[in-house]
Amino acid sequence: MSRMEKAIVLTGGRLATDDAKTAHGLIRESNRFLITGMVDKAHAGQDAGEVLDGRKRNIPIFADVAAAMVTDPVTCIVGVATVGGVFPGNLLEEVKTAIRHRLSIVNGLHDYLSQRPEITQLAAEYQVTLTDIRLPRNISDLHFWTGKIFGINVPVIAVIGTDCSLGKRTTARMLINACAAGGLSTQMIYTGQTGWLQGGKYGFILDSTLNDFVSGELEHALLSCERETRPDCIFIEGQSALRNPSGPCGAELLVSGNARYVILIHAPKRKYYEHEPAWGRIPGIASEIDLIEHYGASVIGVALNTEGCTTEEATGFIQHYEQQLGIPVMLPIQEGCASFVPVIRNLVNTFRATL
């Protein structure tokens, strides 16, 4: 792999919130950029890993861009993913400051920097580049669904959740790493900007793709991945949730992506979609599994997001769901995903036996 560019990440004081899930992904892992620091005034002086989950990762947090320049970055990444994809607070001013420090900007928000004249002029003045990851691709570069996905010769596993911001991408990447350690070759299809930022090769940004081409882009990514890497299996990163009213998503993975297997992420103590009572109560996990089965897929495991849970409660939920559902239940963040590798290996061997 070529040497990675050094990059700092802007979080605008939101590092400890769900808005900074892009930054959270980059703290945990990045194969595209070398993350040298975070800019978050609210947590300056701390280690980003310790703020995220209590694990030191030697990624310092700085109060401002000027202080972060000591790490010698060449790129500045916008590390928040806000509702509606707009720049929050004074984050846009921090972007301007980064440009004045001659840093190129990578932006994953729907608020495109390349369409803001004052930003493009500033970038030209300081001779830096602007990369809007979510800028829609030209129609000529998109793919329409063909049906060739039904000929795929490896199991496809969708990692989906009962709500947003539960750790779908994180769990998928942890599964890939655990499988690699266990001797299995697996790949992930990214479907969001953070997956690309972390170094994903196969995928597309779902919420920036014209609806007519979502199924085709998913199919194209899966077929390209299988053809070029010959993996034992492929994971697909899910987005939102099947029944989240703010953006129902997931059926594409099961139907158009021919994902016949699912790992379901669930937060036992979350009652409402995105914690908003007006958005509706999240159905029980058994109901979600029943819905997935109606799409023709099988849930082969559950991963728990233990927000609001004590250690004892988390252990209790594992026992309860394993007894209720009869499938393995894991705690990815606390325990990793190594225990699930035998399940994947058995699935791969069973799938091969049917070819």
Side-chain angles (χ1 to χ4, degrees):
M1 179 182 292
S2 60
R3 187 175 181 180
M4 294 188 292
E5 288 185 358
K6 290 183 178 181
I8 57 173
V9 181
L10 304 179
T11 52
R14 289 167 165 77
L15 182 58
T17 73
D18 287 345
D19 280 353
K21 62 183 182 180
T22 293
H24 297 167
L26 293 171
I27 292 168
R28 288 192 168 103
E29 181 180 12
S30 178
N31 298 316
R32 191 179 299 276
F33 297 98
L34 176 60
I35 306 303
T36 60
M38 297 275 148
V39 177
D40 190 283
K41 189 174 183 179
H43 300 89
Q46 301 181 61
D47 179 88
E50 291 181 330
V51 172
L52 175 61
D53 57 17
R55 293 176 51 200
K56 188 176 179 65
R57 290 181 173 83
N58 296 315
I59 301 176
I61 305 174
F62 300 93
D64 52 42
V65 172
M69 292 304 295
V70 70
T71 67
D72 196 30
V74 297
T75 300
C76 179
I77 300 169
V78 177
V80 297
T82 59
V83 174
V86 297
F87 278 92
N90 68 342
L91 197 59
L92 192 60
E93 291 304 313
E94 292 190 62
V95 167
K96 293 177 182 178
T97 299
I99 292 173
R100 294 188 182 101
H101 280 86
R102 300 190 181 278
L103 298 180
S104 291
I105 309 297
V106 178
N107 170 40
L109 294 173
H110 286 301
D111 191 344
Y112 309 129
L113 294 176
S114 59
Q115 293 182 0
R116 285 177 168 268
E118 76 277 16
I119 299 294
T120 58
Q121 291 170 12
L122 194 64
E125 178 183 350
Y126 287 91
Q127 299 181 320
V128 299
T129 60
L130 303 173
T131 302
D132 287 312
I133 307 172
R134 272 176 157 162
L135 195 66
R137 295 165 57 194
N138 293 327
I139 291 179
S140 60
D141 295 326
L142 297 174
H143 301 83
F144 200 77
W145 193 82
T146 67
K148 292 179 181 178
I149 190 64
F150 295 130
I152 198 165
N153 289 318
V154 297
V156 178
I157 304 170
V159 182
I160 63 179
T162 54
D163 195 17
C164 295
S165 302
L166 293 182
K168 297 181 283 288
R169 184 199 66 257
T170 296
T171 298
R173 293 195 68 90
M174 292 180 72
L175 282 164
I176 288 172
N177 292 335
C179 285
L184 290 173
S185 172
T186 62
Q187 296 285 340
M188 184 186 89
I189 305 302
Y190 70 84
T191 55
Q193 72 276 7
T194 308
W196 181 87
L197 284 165
Q198 288 182 304
K201 181 178 180 182
Y202 299 97
F204 67 109
I205 299 177
L206 192 149
D207 63 12
S208 292
T209 303
L210 284 172
N211 191 58
D212 275 359
F213 297 96
V214 167
S215 296
E217 285 298 291
L218 176 60
E219 179 188 56
H220 175 72
L222 284 161
L223 294 175
S224 298
C225 180
E226 182 201 21
R227 181 179 65 252
E228 296 173 13
T229 69
R230 300 297 180 186
D232 293 315
C233 73
I234 302 174
F235 296 98
I236 309 176
E237 171 201 7
Q239 295 292 329
S240 190
L242 284 167
R243 290 186 273 193
N244 182 313
S246 71
C249 186
E252 303 93 335
L253 281 58
L254 305 178
V255 180
S256 306
N258 198 33
R260 299 275 67 87
Y261 311 97
V262 168
I263 292 173
L264 184 63
I265 320 295
H266 181 62
K269 300 194 79 172
R270 187 180 296 194
K271 295 181 179 180
Y272 306 102
Y273 288 111
E274 299 192 54
H275 305 287
E276 294 285 349
W279 291 16
R281 184 177 288 272
I282 298 172
I285 192 169
S287 171
E288 198 79 358
I289 290 175
D290 184 59
L291 176 59
I292 290 167
E293 289 176 347
H294 275 82
Y295 277 107
S298 300
V299 178
I300 61 173
V302 170
L304 295 183
N305 178 313
T306 57
E307 63 179 21
C309 294
T310 65
T311 301
E312 292 75 17
E313 286 175 327
T315 300
F317 280 123
I318 290 177
Q319 296 171 349
H320 170 70
Y321 288 132
E322 286 188 336
Q323 183 177 17
Q324 176 192 13
L325 306 173
I327 54 178
V329 179
M330 56 182 162
L331 299 176
I333 298 300
Q334 295 89 338
E335 301 177 356
C337 296
S339 64
F340 206 74
V341 173
V343 178
I344 303 297
R345 182 178 288 109
N346 182 63
L347 173 63
V348 169
N349 292 336
T350 302
F351 188 91
R352 286 174 176 168
T354 65
L355 295 178

